[in-house]
Amino acid sequence: MRTLNLDLGERSYPIFIGQSLLQNPALFTPHLSSQQVLVVTNTTVAPLYLAQLKDTLSHCDKLDSVVLPDGEQHKTLGVLNTIFDTLIAQRHNRKTTLIALGGGVVGDMTGFAAACYQRGVNFIQVPTTLLSQVDSSVGGKTGVNHPQGKNMIGAFYQPQAVVIDTQVLDTLPERELSAGLAEVIKYGIIADIPFFEWLETNMPALLARESEALAYAIEVSCAIKARVVAQDEKESGIRAILNLGHTFGHAIESHQGYGDWVHGEAVGAGMVLACELSSRLGWLDAKECDRAVALIAAAGLPTEPPSGMSPDAFMRYMAIDKKVLDGGLRLVLQRGLGNAVVTGDFDAVVLQQLLQDRCIG
Ligand code: NAD
Ligand code: GLY
């Protein structure tokens, strides 16, 4: 097992990465506020791993669970309410601990429920998709979608621990593995050229789910994320670089209707647009841009926007992105590989031209 630490003063927490960690009570017990636990999961993950986790926590006096419907389209205030209904019906008090067992949707919703229930209770992240293991479970962004925008309602709220069991990736569908690789590739492009180069060599091993390769990719990704979040927990600056491709990607998700394109796919196509824009602005060498696009394609991700999505649709959805400041669009762009910047200082005509050229159908 490898252990990383996210250093946030009194809100610091460990990130455990290894095989069969779901079966290790010692990783959970020190982070429970009491003997009261609610496990939040969904209809896909529950039959696979809920019994195992409940067995690990069987020493708890009060061990309840709530099973949410599966899918991004259920990341809503309405479904969030079912977590509160269960907590209240089962008489959970301020000493309860919520455990998120699932992908990013379950993790984001459980974290937000923990932030709100009785004005804040403890929670532990047990991410079960590659995407949630390398990104969403770390850093404390929690929330739900609004029909008009992704993750529009939420809170920064840190977990007490993140327990990453790499074995659960065995059951992950191929499409979701690729989606997770989008966020892994993101770290290489924004901050770590040697890791980018390692990914260029090791993409086949990752797609073949070789356990050492996956564990290494997860560890490097979490280490980069932890380093950035430790500098800027609430995204007043540098943390925004973690959103490379996300402004375009969130526009794609919102336009398509949540759940049609999965988050990682939208981020993959979004990173291509961000790199191509950087290249057209003269900030990213064309060959480096091609390498980034090739790596995204090698991970099995889309490299074109959805057919039928117009430049106007992009601009409309991007206008409500959380990085918009004083009405001005800001994007994460590349000034070379390994060096992301957050800026509104780019020629909007170049962006318009890129979208005209890339949007088809
Ligand atoms: P997801 O939670 O929808 O999971 C993808 C699919 O895999 C689901 O059908 C799920 O039930 C299934 N699944 C989960 N674990 C499985 C397993 N081990 N075996 C088989 N199936 C499994 O999607 P995701 O990609 O994990 O997360 C995407 C969400 O995360 C989006 O809502 C996105 O906004 C959010 N996100 C949040 C942050 C953050 O910092 N909080 C960062 C990135 C993404
Ligand atoms: N996924 C981007 C962030 O956590 O800031």
Side-chain angles (χ1 to χ4, degrees):
M1 185 179 83
R2 306 156 205 225
T3 305
L4 303 173
N5 189 52
L6 206 169
D7 188 2
L8 286 171
E10 60 183 16
R11 280 170 293 102
S12 299
Y13 52 91
I15 302 163
F16 305 113
I17 304 165
Q19 293 237 326
S20 306
L21 303 194
L22 263 184
Q23 291 152 34
N24 187 346
L27 300 180
F28 294 89
T29 313
H31 306 290
L32 303 177
S33 340
S34 74
Q35 294 291 303
Q36 254 181 89
V37 170
L38 177 75
V39 180
V40 182
T41 185
N42 74 18
T43 48
T44 302
V45 178
L48 295 169
Y49 302 112
L50 181 57
Q52 212 180 108
L53 182 59
K54 279 190 150 180
D55 201 41
T56 302
L57 299 168
S58 57
H59 60 281
C60 293
D61 296 339
K62 186 166 181 55
L63 179 55
D64 295 311
S65 55
V66 57
V67 179
L68 306 179
D70 184 9
E72 185 73 35
Q73 68 276 26
H74 299 294
K75 191 178 170 185
T76 62
L77 280 172
V79 174
L80 183 78
N81 214 25
T82 62
I83 304 178
F84 300 131
D85 290 345
T86 309
L87 285 164
I88 293 167
Q90 302 297 329
R91 303 271 187 275
H92 283 251
N93 64 29
R94 276 198 170 146
K95 289 276 179 196
T96 197
T97 302
L98 306 196
I99 300 186
L101 175 69
V105 171
V106 166
D108 282 11
M109 292 178 77
T110 307
F112 191 35
C116 300
Y117 187 63
Q118 301 206 7
R119 301 196 179 89
V121 297
N122 282 359
F123 88 110
I124 298 173
Q125 289 274 16
V126 185
T128 62
T129 60
L130 180 61
L131 186 140
S132 56
Q133 295 187 344
V134 298
D135 193 350
S136 61
S137 62
V138 173
K141 278 190 182 174
T142 73
V144 295
N145 298 328
H146 184 276
Q148 288 179 56
K150 268 283 286 181
N151 298 330
M152 276 291 158
I153 303 156
F156 286 98
Y157 195 69
Q158 303 294 342
Q160 268 56 51
V162 181
V163 180
I164 299 176
D165 185 339
T166 52
Q167 203 146 23
V168 302
L169 298 179
D170 289 351
T171 55
L172 198 64
E174 233 167 75
R175 184 178 177 192
E176 299 298 345
L177 184 72
S178 290
L181 288 170
E183 304 282 11
V184 173
I185 292 168
K186 172 189 80 180
Y187 294 112
I189 297 177
I190 62 170
D192 192 332
I193 294 173
F195 184 49
F196 180 88
E197 287 167 350
W198 182 89
L199 288 169
E200 289 183 308
T201 306
N202 288 281
M203 190 51 73
L206 293 169
L207 288 167
R209 303 179 200 224
E210 286 179 19
S211 56
E212 267 309 302
L214 278 171
Y216 178 73
I218 294 167
E219 184 183 354
V220 175
S221 300
C222 287
I224 294 172
K225 178 141 191 191
R227 196 174 69 222
V228 173
V229 173
Q231 289 174 65
D232 178 23
E233 183 185 5
K234 299 208 170 154
E235 202 170 301
S236 47
I238 180 93
R239 182 168 178 165
I241 65 167
L242 298 173
N243 291 317
L244 176 71
H246 285 57
T247 303
F248 296 106
H250 286 170
I252 292 172
E253 283 184 87
S254 301
H255 176 264
Q256 295 300 104
Y258 300 123
D260 181 13
W261 278 46
V262 300
H263 178 73
E265 291 170 338
V267 168
M271 288 194 297
V272 171
L273 289 170
C275 287
E276 287 182 345
L277 179 56
S278 307
S279 177
R280 288 187 184 207
L281 290 165
W283 297 357
L284 178 68
D285 183 83
K287 283 204 182 86
E288 291 186 323
C289 179
D290 289 348
R291 281 172 68 195
V293 176
L295 187 57
I296 293 164
L301 291 160
T303 55
E304 300 285 346
S307 77
M309 185 164 177
S310 66
D312 280 356
F314 265 104
M315 294 310 290
R316 212 171 38 248
Y317 284 109
M318 294 203 305
I320 54 168
D321 184 81
K322 290 188 286 304
K323 283 183 294 305
V324 167
L325 209 61
D326 300 329
L329 180 63
R330 293 186 314 140
L331 292 171
V332 184
L333 296 172
Q334 293 297 130
R335 284 200 174 266
L337 267 185
N339 183 32
V341 292
V342 186
T343 181
D345 194 11
F346 56 84
D347 187 346
V349 176
V350 181
L351 170 61
Q352 276 294 344
Q353 192 56 55
L354 172 74
L355 292 174
Q356 294 288 352
D357 295 345
R358 283 287 170 258
C359 293
I360 42 166

